[in-house]
């Protein structure tokens, strides 16, 4: 069964599973509007994260999501938009 | 001499010791790290022994961000580099980033990581392959990760010449330092004791299939029957003598000479020895100890013994092969021998070649069973890579 909601907690969990925690980063802090690069995640970490989201949620993210979603808020919103566009 | 290149730090990860001190104590005690393979079920393979590193827990040494993107070989390399830098008293963040380089050798890259990803690819599909596979397998990955972790942006690279690589990387580092880079992390750590790597090692045709750890790897012995593979190696901090002096660093010794040759109609090992001595401006009589390549294969042992007796005379110089305690570590082996040579110079002790009864026909003064005390100032390290690579390096205290 594919899931229908994607929250910041889901993103943190998948980041952690796929890419670990960057040195000195605190994922419990308010990171919603912090750039991924400032948290310590590079483009490859986002590629790995997107791939895991696609597998887990049974969706295909547009490649533009990776380029445009530079913060957790933007990433969560982009995935949410894909989920709501899915046929039920 | 202003272009002198010195070694100021050692980082060791070996099957018989983690860290230079543990390893050196084990080597002097004749403690072997060779035993039955435990990493996977090797019962179905002809060779069943290996020199495995036990007790290395990457989580204790590295941030979690690095774990999903690194093979075992890279984790060992990163930690060995950390230890070498600490030993040299170097804090990379305090030095100019373009003045520090990283040059390692590799013979396999991240094999175990790749094995896992290929399994995912075949069994579940391409979308289950980690994005980090793009570099985690790669020969240059250890150089890259050490460089990123320590902010080292100077001349860097990787050389691939099997066991000769452990010396070739250090030689290349010496070149870069002579051209103006202040410090280079150099050497090699190899680790490919996964089932995929194990199959690959068997194709070389030189693995010992003896099951008894004390009889499996016996270079220069009439019972020689191939080698036992191991994992690990050493990374060294190389600096220009001027730079080391300027920061008041303790110095293990100097990289005094080096040469590499390739086998042609005649084996090239002897020529490598002679050229390395010429590069160091030393005579054979100046060499106090030789760390042998020690293939453990009868023909290759004869070639090495002949090279040594031709240059030094029969029984003309003490020879040792402490890799009888670790197995052959491929690219890591010669770097570990190099680190061992510096430890030997420091303490005036030649570590033993264990379990070997040298054959008289080789004419070698092999240091067996026990360490031998000696006045040591100059050491020669030999390494051969599969396919015809020969490298020789001379170091001086």
């Amino acid at each position: 069964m594919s899931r229908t909601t994607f929250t910041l907690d889901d993103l943190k969990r998948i980041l952690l599973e796929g890419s670990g925690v960057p040195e000195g980063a605190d994922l419990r802090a308010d990171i919603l509007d912090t750039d991924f690069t400032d948290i310590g995640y590079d483009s490859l970490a986002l590629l790995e994260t997107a791939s895991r989201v696609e597998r887990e949620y049974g969706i295909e993210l547009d490649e533009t999501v990776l380029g445009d979603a530079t913060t957790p808020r933007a990433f969560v919103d982009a995935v949410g938009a894909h989920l709501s566009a899915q046929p039920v | 001499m202003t272009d002198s290149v010195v070694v100021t730090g050692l980082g060791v990860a070996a099957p018989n010791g983690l860290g230079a001190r543990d390893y050196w104590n084990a080597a002097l005690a004749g403690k072997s790290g060779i035993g039955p393979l435990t990493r996977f079920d090797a019962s179905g393979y002809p060779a069943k022994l290996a020199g495995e590193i036990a007790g290395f827990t990457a989580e204790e040494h590295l941030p979690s961000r690095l774990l999903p993107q690194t093979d075992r070989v890279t984790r060992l390399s990163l930690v060995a580099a950390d230890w070498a830098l600490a030993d040299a008293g170097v804090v990379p963040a305090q030095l100019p980033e373009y003045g520090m380089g990283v040059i390692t050798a590799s013979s396999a890259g991240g094999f175990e990581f790749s094995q896992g990803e290929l399994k995912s690819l075949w069994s579940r599909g391409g979308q289950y392959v980690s994005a980090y596979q793009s570099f985690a397998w790669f020969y240059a990955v250890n150089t890259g990760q050490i460089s990123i972790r320590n902010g080292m942006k100077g001349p860097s690279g990787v050389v691939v010449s099997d066991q000769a690589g452990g010396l070739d990387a250090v030689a290349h580092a010496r070149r870069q330092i002579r051209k103006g880079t202040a410090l280079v992390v150099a050497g090699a750590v190899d680790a490919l004791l996964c089932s995929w790597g194990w199959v690959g090692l068997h194709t070389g045709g030189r693995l010992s299939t003896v099951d008894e750890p004390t009889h499996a790897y016996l270079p220069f012995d009439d019972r020689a029957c191939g080698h036992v593979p191991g994992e690990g190696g050493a990374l060294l901090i190389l600096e220009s003598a001027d730079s080391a002096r300027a920061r008041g660093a303790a110095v293990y010794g100097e990289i005094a000479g080096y040469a590499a040759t390739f086998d042609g109609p005649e084996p090239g090992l002897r020529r490598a020895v002679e050229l390395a001595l010429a590069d160091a401006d030393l005579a054979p009589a100046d060499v106090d100890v030789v760390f042998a390549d020690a293939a453990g294969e009868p023909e290759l042992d004869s070639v090495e013994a002949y090279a040594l007796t031709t240059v030094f005379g029969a029984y003309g110089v003490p020879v040792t092969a402490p890799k009888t305690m670790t197995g052959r570590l491929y690219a890591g082996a010669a770097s570990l021998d190099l680190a061992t040579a510096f430890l030997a110079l420091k303490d005036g002790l030649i570590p033993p070649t264990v379990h070997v009864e040298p054959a008289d026909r080789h004419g070698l003064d092999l240091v067996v069973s026990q360490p031998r005390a000696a006045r040591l100032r100059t050491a020669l390290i030999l390494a051969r890579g599969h396919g015809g690579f020969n490298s020789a390096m001379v170091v001086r205290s």
Side-chain angles (χ1 to χ4, degrees):
Chain A
M1 191 186 85
S2 57
R3 297 160 57 188
T4 54
T5 59
F6 185 78
T7 65
L8 180 63
D9 283 340
D10 293 317
L11 173 60
K12 286 180 182 174
R13 173 178 55 77
I14 290 170
L15 274 169
L16 191 67
E17 286 168 2
S19 300
V21 185
E23 240 169 331
D26 180 8
L27 295 190
R28 288 165 305 181
D30 181 11
I31 55 164
L32 255 183
D33 295 305
T34 310
D35 265 25
F36 283 115
T37 49
D38 291 335
I39 303 171
Y41 291 115
D42 52 22
S43 57
L44 206 59
L46 292 186
L47 190 65
E48 174 66 16
T49 302
S51 164
R52 285 171 177 264
V53 170
E54 288 179 336
R55 266 144 52 182
E56 192 171 315
Y57 286 81
I59 56 174
E60 269 191 52
L61 295 171
D62 291 339
E63 291 189 7
T64 52
V65 169
L66 284 177
D68 297 343
T70 59
T71 63
R73 184 189 301 277
F75 194 98
V76 169
D77 288 349
V79 174
H82 272 79
L83 288 173
S84 60
Q86 292 281 100
V88 180
Chain B
M1 204 165 96
T2 51
D3 66 350
S4 170
V5 174
V6 298
V7 170
T8 55
L10 305 175
V12 170
N16 59 346
L18 269 177
R21 180 177 297 271
D22 275 2
Y23 162 73
W24 181 234
N25 290 339
L28 291 179
K31 185 184 151 199
S32 173
I34 291 175
L37 247 174
T38 63
R39 205 69 52 71
F40 59 94
D41 177 12
S43 59
Y45 298 89
K48 299 174 182 67
L49 298 179
E52 289 178 332
I53 292 176
F56 176 76
T57 309
E59 289 78 358
E60 291 172 7
H61 304 285
L62 297 170
S64 86
R65 177 77 181 88
L66 281 172
L67 300 179
Q69 57 177 298
T70 46
D71 181 82
R72 177 173 176 83
V73 74
T74 304
R75 297 171 181 183
L76 287 166
S77 295
L78 284 166
V79 173
D82 285 353
W83 288 341
L85 288 164
D87 186 36
V90 168
V91 180
Q94 295 173 352
L95 298 174
E97 55 189 2
Y98 288 96
M100 299 179 285
V102 186
I103 297 167
T104 65
S106 173
S107 62
F111 242 69
E112 190 171 18
F113 193 103
S114 290
Q115 179 172 2
E117 298 311 315
L118 286 172
K119 273 183 179 169
S120 294
L121 175 67
W122 294 327
S123 61
R124 298 200 286 174
Q127 71 272 36
Y128 286 87
V129 176
S130 164
Y132 297 114
Q133 167 68 0
S134 58
F135 58 69
W137 70 275
F138 189 43
Y139 292 94
V141 67
N142 304 330
T143 287
Q145 292 283 19
I146 292 167
S147 151
I148 293 166
R149 177 165 167 82
N150 297 292
M152 298 173 161
K153 298 184 177 176
S156 296
V158 63
V159 296
V160 179
S161 46
D162 189 30
Q163 180 161 312
L167 296 183
D168 296 340
V170 172
H172 193 52
R174 184 173 71 144
R175 275 177 222 120
Q176 294 298 354
I177 288 170
R178 285 176 165 176
K179 284 195 228 168
T181 299
L183 179 153
V184 180
V185 180
V189 173
D190 251 336
L192 65 167
L193 300 180
C194 59
S195 56
W196 187 32
W198 202 238
V199 172
L201 291 176
H202 275 80
T203 64
R206 291 181 183 168
L207 296 194
S208 168
T209 55
V210 170
D211 289 344
E212 168 55 46
T214 57
H215 290 69
Y217 177 35
L218 301 171
F220 308 114
D221 191 309
D222 280 328
R223 299 166 294 167
C225 55
H227 70 262
V228 173
E231 62 181 351
L235 291 169
L236 298 85
I237 306 303
L238 269 61
E239 296 182 71
S240 72
D242 289 346
S243 150
R245 200 178 302 117
R247 61 179 196 87
V251 168
Y252 283 99
E254 178 196 4
I255 307 293
Y258 162 80
T261 64
F262 203 74
D263 288 338
E266 296 287 321
L269 187 62
R270 193 195 79 199
R271 212 156 35 91
V273 172
E274 291 167 345
L275 291 169
L277 286 170
D279 184 40
D281 201 17
L282 291 173
D286 296 321
V287 173
D288 301 314
V289 60
V290 174
F291 287 75
D293 172 69
E297 196 271 324
E299 177 63 26
L300 288 165
D301 284 351
S302 291
V303 167
E304 183 164 33
Y306 182 73
L308 291 174
T309 53
T310 305
V311 174
F312 297 98
Y315 304 97
V317 64
V319 177
T320 189
K323 57 171 71 78
T324 47
M325 292 177 260
T326 61
R328 286 176 78 81
L329 310 181
Y330 304 99
S335 297
L336 182 59
D337 279 343
L338 197 58
T340 311
F342 282 114
L343 293 165
L345 298 182
K346 187 161 167 264
D347 284 2
L349 287 169
I350 303 171
T353 306
V354 300
H355 308 310
V356 169
E357 294 168 21
D360 286 340
R361 66 189 158 85
H362 288 315
L364 296 182
D365 174 15
L366 203 65
V367 176
V368 293
S369 307
Q370 301 286 329
R372 184 190 295 177
R375 192 179 158 276
L376 302 177
R377 182 164 148 70
T378 303
L380 169 70
I381 298 95
L382 302 184
R384 284 176 292 186
H386 200 119
F389 299 95
N390 305 287
S391 292
M393 188 165 271
V394 179
V395 301
R396 192 162 44 190
S397 59

mmCIF file with all atom_site columns, all heavy atoms in Angstrom, chain B residues 328-346:
data_model
loop_
_atom_site.group_PDB
_atom_site.id
_atom_site.type_symbol
_atom_site.label_atom_id
_atom_site.label_alt_id
_atom_site.label_comp_id
_atom_site.label_asym_id
_atom_site.label_entity_id
_atom_site.label_seq_id
_atom_site.pdbx_PDB_ins_code
_atom_site.Cartn_x
_atom_site.Cartn_y
_atom_site.Cartn_z
_atom_site.occupancy
_atom_site.B_iso_or_equiv
_atom_site.pdbx_formal_charge
_atom_site.auth_seq_id
_atom_site.auth_comp_id
_atom_site.auth_asym_id
_atom_site.auth_atom_id
_atom_site.pdbx_PDB_model_num
ATOM 1   N N   . ARG B 1 328 ? 49.456 -11.039 2.601  1.00 0.00 ? 328 ARG B N   1
ATOM 2   C CA  . ARG B 1 328 ? 49.765 -9.967  1.653  1.00 0.00 ? 328 ARG B CA  1
ATOM 3   C C   . ARG B 1 328 ? 48.569 -9.014  1.562  1.00 0.00 ? 328 ARG B C   1
ATOM 4   O O   . ARG B 1 328 ? 47.444 -9.449  1.346  1.00 0.00 ? 328 ARG B O   1
ATOM 5   C CB  . ARG B 1 328 ? 50.105 -10.551 0.274  1.00 0.00 ? 328 ARG B CB  1
ATOM 6   C CG  . ARG B 1 328 ? 51.483 -11.195 0.259  1.00 0.00 ? 328 ARG B CG  1
ATOM 7   C CD  . ARG B 1 328 ? 51.792 -11.862 -1.050 1.00 0.00 ? 328 ARG B CD  1
ATOM 8   N NE  . ARG B 1 328 ? 52.173 -10.945 -2.106 1.00 0.00 ? 328 ARG B NE  1
ATOM 9   C CZ  . ARG B 1 328 ? 53.388 -10.430 -2.258 1.00 0.00 ? 328 ARG B CZ  1
ATOM 10  N NH1 . ARG B 1 328 ? 54.336 -10.700 -1.387 1.00 0.00 ? 328 ARG B NH1 1
ATOM 11  N NH2 . ARG B 1 328 ? 53.651 -9.631  -3.274 1.00 0.00 ? 328 ARG B NH2 1
ATOM 12  N N   . LEU B 1 329 ? 48.859 -7.724  1.747  1.00 0.00 ? 329 LEU B N   1
ATOM 13  C CA  . LEU B 1 329 ? 47.792 -6.719  1.825  1.00 0.00 ? 329 LEU B CA  1
ATOM 14  C C   . LEU B 1 329 ? 47.645 -5.953  0.510  1.00 0.00 ? 329 LEU B C   1
ATOM 15  O O   . LEU B 1 329 ? 47.105 -4.862  0.486  1.00 0.00 ? 329 LEU B O   1
ATOM 16  C CB  . LEU B 1 329 ? 48.076 -5.736  2.966  1.00 0.00 ? 329 LEU B CB  1
ATOM 17  C CG  . LEU B 1 329 ? 48.417 -6.346  4.329  1.00 0.00 ? 329 LEU B CG  1
ATOM 18  C CD1 . LEU B 1 329 ? 48.652 -5.240  5.359  1.00 0.00 ? 329 LEU B CD1 1
ATOM 19  C CD2 . LEU B 1 329 ? 47.312 -7.278  4.805  1.00 0.00 ? 329 LEU B CD2 1
ATOM 20  N N   . TYR B 1 330 ? 48.197 -6.517  -0.579 1.00 0.00 ? 330 TYR B N   1
ATOM 21  C CA  . TYR B 1 330 ? 48.108 -5.876  -1.888 1.00 0.00 ? 330 TYR B CA  1
ATOM 22  C C   . TYR B 1 330 ? 48.664 -4.454  -1.806 1.00 0.00 ? 330 TYR B C   1
ATOM 23  O O   . TYR B 1 330 ? 49.760 -4.284  -1.290 1.00 0.00 ? 330 TYR B O   1
ATOM 24  C CB  . TYR B 1 330 ? 46.680 -6.021  -2.434 1.00 0.00 ? 330 TYR B CB  1
ATOM 25  C CG  . TYR B 1 330 ? 46.355 -7.510  -2.444 1.00 0.00 ? 330 TYR B CG  1
ATOM 26  C CD1 . TYR B 1 330 ? 45.613 -8.099  -1.431 1.00 0.00 ? 330 TYR B CD1 1
ATOM 27  C CD2 . TYR B 1 330 ? 46.927 -8.336  -3.408 1.00 0.00 ? 330 TYR B CD2 1
ATOM 28  C CE1 . TYR B 1 330 ? 45.414 -9.482  -1.391 1.00 0.00 ? 330 TYR B CE1 1
ATOM 29  C CE2 . TYR B 1 330 ? 46.735 -9.720  -3.369 1.00 0.00 ? 330 TYR B CE2 1
ATOM 30  C CZ  . TYR B 1 330 ? 45.982 -10.282 -2.365 1.00 0.00 ? 330 TYR B CZ  1
ATOM 31  O OH  . TYR B 1 330 ? 45.823 -11.629 -2.326 1.00 0.00 ? 330 TYR B OH  1
ATOM 32  N N   . ALA B 1 331 ? 47.956 -3.433  -2.266 1.00 0.00 ? 331 ALA B N   1
ATOM 33  C CA  . ALA B 1 331 ? 48.553 -2.093  -2.235 1.00 0.00 ? 331 ALA B CA  1
ATOM 34  C C   . ALA B 1 331 ? 48.969 -1.699  -0.822 1.00 0.00 ? 331 ALA B C   1
ATOM 35  O O   . ALA B 1 331 ? 49.944 -0.969  -0.621 1.00 0.00 ? 331 ALA B O   1
ATOM 36  C CB  . ALA B 1 331 ? 47.581 -1.071  -2.815 1.00 0.00 ? 331 ALA B CB  1
ATOM 37  N N   . GLY B 1 332 ? 48.230 -2.196  0.180  1.00 0.00 ? 332 GLY B N   1
ATOM 38  C CA  . GLY B 1 332 ? 48.548 -1.827  1.560  1.00 0.00 ? 332 GLY B CA  1
ATOM 39  C C   . GLY B 1 332 ? 49.857 -2.410  2.068  1.00 0.00 ? 332 GLY B C   1
ATOM 40  O O   . GLY B 1 332 ? 50.436 -1.903  3.036  1.00 0.00 ? 332 GLY B O   1
ATOM 41  N N   . ALA B 1 333 ? 50.320 -3.473  1.430  1.00 0.00 ? 333 ALA B N   1
ATOM 42  C CA  . ALA B 1 333 ? 51.457 -4.215  1.979  1.00 0.00 ? 333 ALA B CA  1
ATOM 43  C C   . ALA B 1 333 ? 52.741 -3.392  2.026  1.00 0.00 ? 333 ALA B C   1
ATOM 44  O O   . ALA B 1 333 ? 53.409 -3.328  3.056  1.00 0.00 ? 333 ALA B O   1
ATOM 45  C CB  . ALA B 1 333 ? 51.686 -5.479  1.152  1.00 0.00 ? 333 ALA B CB  1
ATOM 46  N N   . ALA B 1 334 ? 53.087 -2.769  0.912  1.00 0.00 ? 334 ALA B N   1
ATOM 47  C CA  . ALA B 1 334 ? 54.369 -2.079  0.876  1.00 0.00 ? 334 ALA B CA  1
ATOM 48  C C   . ALA B 1 334 ? 54.349 -0.823  1.743  1.00 0.00 ? 334 ALA B C   1
ATOM 49  O O   . ALA B 1 334 ? 55.361 -0.457  2.329  1.00 0.00 ? 334 ALA B O   1
ATOM 50  C CB  . ALA B 1 334 ? 54.734 -1.730  -0.568 1.00 0.00 ? 334 ALA B CB  1
ATOM 51  N N   . SER B 1 335 ? 53.180 -0.189  1.840  1.00 0.00 ? 335 SER B N   1
ATOM 52  C CA  . SER B 1 335 ? 53.082 0.971   2.738  1.00 0.00 ? 335 SER B CA  1
ATOM 53  C C   . SER B 1 335 ? 53.269 0.531   4.184  1.00 0.00 ? 335 SER B C   1
ATOM 54  O O   . SER B 1 335 ? 53.901 1.225   4.982  1.00 0.00 ? 335 SER B O   1
ATOM 55  C CB  . SER B 1 335 ? 51.719 1.641   2.605  1.00 0.00 ? 335 SER B CB  1
ATOM 56  O OG  . SER B 1 335 ? 51.545 2.137   1.317  1.00 0.00 ? 335 SER B OG  1
ATOM 57  N N   . LEU B 1 336 ? 52.711 -0.632  4.506  1.00 0.00 ? 336 LEU B N   1
ATOM 58  C CA  . LEU B 1 336 ? 52.889 -1.140  5.870  1.00 0.00 ? 336 LEU B CA  1
ATOM 59  C C   . LEU B 1 336 ? 54.361 -1.498  6.105  1.00 0.00 ? 336 LEU B C   1
ATOM 60  O O   . LEU B 1 336 ? 54.910 -1.209  7.171  1.00 0.00 ? 336 LEU B O   1
ATOM 61  C CB  . LEU B 1 336 ? 51.982 -2.357  6.111  1.00 0.00 ? 336 LEU B CB  1
ATOM 62  C CG  . LEU B 1 336 ? 52.050 -2.937  7.515  1.00 0.00 ? 336 LEU B CG  1
ATOM 63  C CD1 . LEU B 1 336 ? 51.672 -1.899  8.565  1.00 0.00 ? 336 LEU B CD1 1
ATOM 64  C CD2 . LEU B 1 336 ? 51.146 -4.161  7.643  1.00 0.00 ? 336 LEU B CD2 1
ATOM 65  N N   . ASP B 1 337 ? 55.009 -2.100  5.103  1.00 0.00 ? 337 ASP B N   1
ATOM 66  C CA  . ASP B 1 337 ? 56.445 -2.393  5.242  1.00 0.00 ? 337 ASP B CA  1
ATOM 67  C C   . ASP B 1 337 ? 57.248 -1.112  5.443  1.00 0.00 ? 337 ASP B C   1
ATOM 68  O O   . ASP B 1 337 ? 58.213 -1.073  6.214  1.00 0.00 ? 337 ASP B O   1
ATOM 69  C CB  . ASP B 1 337 ? 56.959 -3.139  4.005  1.00 0.00 ? 337 ASP B CB  1
ATOM 70  C CG  . ASP B 1 337 ? 56.643 -4.625  4.050  1.00 0.00 ? 337 ASP B CG  1
ATOM 71  O OD1 . ASP B 1 337 ? 56.318 -5.147  5.143  1.00 0.00 ? 337 ASP B OD1 1
ATOM 72  O OD2 . ASP B 1 337 ? 56.706 -5.282  2.994  1.00 0.00 ? 337 ASP B OD2 1
ATOM 73  N N   . LEU B 1 338 ? 56.849 -0.064  4.732  1.00 0.00 ? 338 LEU B N   1
ATOM 74  C CA  . LEU B 1 338 ? 57.533 1.218   4.855  1.00 0.00 ? 338 LEU B CA  1
ATOM 75  C C   . LEU B 1 338 ? 57.377 1.775   6.281  1.00 0.00 ? 338 LEU B C   1
ATOM 76  O O   . LEU B 1 338 ? 58.351 2.202   6.907  1.00 0.00 ? 338 LEU B O   1
ATOM 77  C CB  . LEU B 1 338 ? 56.921 2.190   3.836  1.00 0.00 ? 338 LEU B CB  1
ATOM 78  C CG  . LEU B 1 338 ? 57.680 3.446   3.469  1.00 0.00 ? 338 LEU B CG  1
ATOM 79  C CD1 . LEU B 1 338 ? 59.041 3.102   2.908  1.00 0.00 ? 338 LEU B CD1 1
ATOM 80  C CD2 . LEU B 1 338 ? 56.870 4.237   2.435  1.00 0.00 ? 338 LEU B CD2 1
ATOM 81  N N   . ALA B 1 339 ? 56.145 1.741   6.781  1.00 0.00 ? 339 ALA B N   1
ATOM 82  C CA  . ALA B 1 339 ? 55.906 2.194   8.158  1.00 0.00 ? 339 ALA B CA  1
ATOM 83  C C   . ALA B 1 339 ? 56.707 1.328   9.135  1.00 0.00 ? 339 ALA B C   1
ATOM 84  O O   . ALA B 1 339 ? 57.316 1.841   10.091 1.00 0.00 ? 339 ALA B O   1
ATOM 85  C CB  . ALA B 1 339 ? 54.412 2.127   8.485  1.00 0.00 ? 339 ALA B CB  1
ATOM 86  N N   . THR B 1 340 ? 56.724 0.022   8.873  1.00 0.00 ? 340 THR B N   1
ATOM 87  C CA  . THR B 1 340 ? 57.452 -0.903  9.750  1.00 0.00 ? 340 THR B CA  1
ATOM 88  C C   . THR B 1 340 ? 58.948 -0.590  9.731  1.00 0.00 ? 340 THR B C   1
ATOM 89  O O   . THR B 1 340 ? 59.627 -0.634  10.767 1.00 0.00 ? 340 THR B O   1
ATOM 90  C CB  . THR B 1 340 ? 57.227 -2.358  9.287  1.00 0.00 ? 340 THR B CB  1
ATOM 91  O OG1 . THR B 1 340 ? 55.827 -2.570  9.102  1.00 0.00 ? 340 THR B OG1 1
ATOM 92  C CG2 . THR B 1 340 ? 57.739 -3.342  10.329 1.00 0.00 ? 340 THR B CG2 1
ATOM 93  N N   . ALA B 1 341 ? 59.460 -0.253  8.554  1.00 0.00 ? 341 ALA B N   1
ATOM 94  C CA  . ALA B 1 341 ? 60.881 0.080   8.439  1.00 0.00 ? 341 ALA B CA  1
ATOM 95  C C   . ALA B 1 341 ? 61.225 1.287   9.315  1.00 0.00 ? 341 ALA B C   1
ATOM 96  O O   . ALA B 1 341 ? 62.247 1.300   10.008 1.00 0.00 ? 341 ALA B O   1
ATOM 97  C CB  . ALA B 1 341 ? 61.243 0.356   6.981  1.00 0.00 ? 341 ALA B CB  1
ATOM 98  N N   . PHE B 1 342 ? 60.351 2.302   9.305  1.00 0.00 ? 342 PHE B N   1
ATOM 99  C CA  . PHE B 1 342 ? 60.628 3.478   10.141 1.00 0.00 ? 342 PHE B CA  1
ATOM 100 C C   . PHE B 1 342 ? 60.573 3.135   11.632 1.00 0.00 ? 342 PHE B C   1
ATOM 101 O O   . PHE B 1 342 ? 61.372 3.644   12.434 1.00 0.00 ? 342 PHE B O   1
ATOM 102 C CB  . PHE B 1 342 ? 59.646 4.609   9.810  1.00 0.00 ? 342 PHE B CB  1
ATOM 103 C CG  . PHE B 1 342 ? 60.003 5.338   8.546  1.00 0.00 ? 342 PHE B CG  1
ATOM 104 C CD1 . PHE B 1 342 ? 59.187 5.277   7.427  1.00 0.00 ? 342 PHE B CD1 1
ATOM 105 C CD2 . PHE B 1 342 ? 61.170 6.083   8.469  1.00 0.00 ? 342 PHE B CD2 1
ATOM 106 C CE1 . PHE B 1 342 ? 59.520 5.935   6.258  1.00 0.00 ? 342 PHE B CE1 1
ATOM 107 C CE2 . PHE B 1 342 ? 61.522 6.753   7.301  1.00 0.00 ? 342 PHE B CE2 1
ATOM 108 C CZ  . PHE B 1 342 ? 60.692 6.674   6.193  1.00 0.00 ? 342 PHE B CZ  1
ATOM 109 N N   . LEU B 1 343 ? 59.643 2.253   12.008 1.00 0.00 ? 343 LEU B N   1
ATOM 110 C CA  . LEU B 1 343 ? 59.572 1.835   13.410 1.00 0.00 ? 343 LEU B CA  1
ATOM 111 C C   . LEU B 1 343 ? 60.826 1.036   13.779 1.00 0.00 ? 343 LEU B C   1
ATOM 112 O O   . LEU B 1 343 ? 61.353 1.164   14.891 1.00 0.00 ? 343 LEU B O   1
ATOM 113 C CB  . LEU B 1 343 ? 58.303 1.005   13.636 1.00 0.00 ? 343 LEU B CB  1
ATOM 114 C CG  . LEU B 1 343 ? 56.993 1.794   13.479 1.00 0.00 ? 343 LEU B CG  1
ATOM 115 C CD1 . LEU B 1 343 ? 55.792 0.854   13.346 1.00 0.00 ? 343 LEU B CD1 1
ATOM 116 C CD2 . LEU B 1 343 ? 56.791 2.744   14.666 1.00 0.00 ? 343 LEU B CD2 1
ATOM 117 N N   . ALA B 1 344 ? 61.308 0.233   12.836 1.00 0.00 ? 344 ALA B N   1
ATOM 118 C CA  . ALA B 1 344 ? 62.516 -0.566  13.077 1.00 0.00 ? 344 ALA B CA  1
ATOM 119 C C   . ALA B 1 344 ? 63.736 0.349   13.250 1.00 0.00 ? 344 ALA B C   1
ATOM 120 O O   . ALA B 1 344 ? 64.549 0.150   14.161 1.00 0.00 ? 344 ALA B O   1
ATOM 121 C CB  . ALA B 1 344 ? 62.735 -1.536  11.919 1.00 0.00 ? 344 ALA B CB  1
ATOM 122 N N   . LEU B 1 345 ? 63.854 1.376   12.389 1.00 0.00 ? 345 LEU B N   1
ATOM 123 C CA  . LEU B 1 345 ? 64.974 2.315   12.496 1.00 0.00 ? 345 LEU B CA  1
ATOM 124 C C   . LEU B 1 345 ? 64.952 3.008   13.851 1.00 0.00 ? 345 LEU B C   1
ATOM 125 O O   . LEU B 1 345 ? 65.984 3.218   14.484 1.00 0.00 ? 345 LEU B O   1
ATOM 126 C CB  . LEU B 1 345 ? 64.911 3.374   11.385 1.00 0.00 ? 345 LEU B CB  1
ATOM 127 C CG  . LEU B 1 345 ? 65.015 2.924   9.917  1.00 0.00 ? 345 LEU B CG  1
ATOM 128 C CD1 . LEU B 1 345 ? 64.982 4.132   8.994  1.00 0.00 ? 345 LEU B CD1 1
ATOM 129 C CD2 . LEU B 1 345 ? 66.275 2.119   9.674  1.00 0.00 ? 345 LEU B CD2 1
ATOM 130 N N   . LYS B 1 346 ? 63.755 3.362   14.285 1.00 0.00 ? 346 LYS B N   1
ATOM 131 C CA  . LYS B 1 346 ? 63.603 4.106   15.535 1.00 0.00 ? 346 LYS B CA  1
ATOM 132 C C   . LYS B 1 346 ? 64.059 3.277   16.733 1.00 0.00 ? 346 LYS B C   1
ATOM 133 O O   . LYS B 1 346 ? 64.748 3.775   17.621 1.00 0.00 ? 346 LYS B O   1
ATOM 134 C CB  . LYS B 1 346 ? 62.124 4.491   15.684 1.00 0.00 ? 346 LYS B CB  1
ATOM 135 C CG  . LYS B 1 346 ? 61.793 5.415   16.831 1.00 0.00 ? 346 LYS B CG  1
ATOM 136 C CD  . LYS B 1 346 ? 60.430 6.084   16.570 1.00 0.00 ? 346 LYS B CD  1
ATOM 137 C CE  . LYS B 1 346 ? 59.905 6.755   17.814 1.00 0.00 ? 346 LYS B CE  1
ATOM 138 N NZ  . LYS B 1 346 ? 58.965 5.909   18.560 1.00 0.00 ? 346 LYS B NZ  1
#
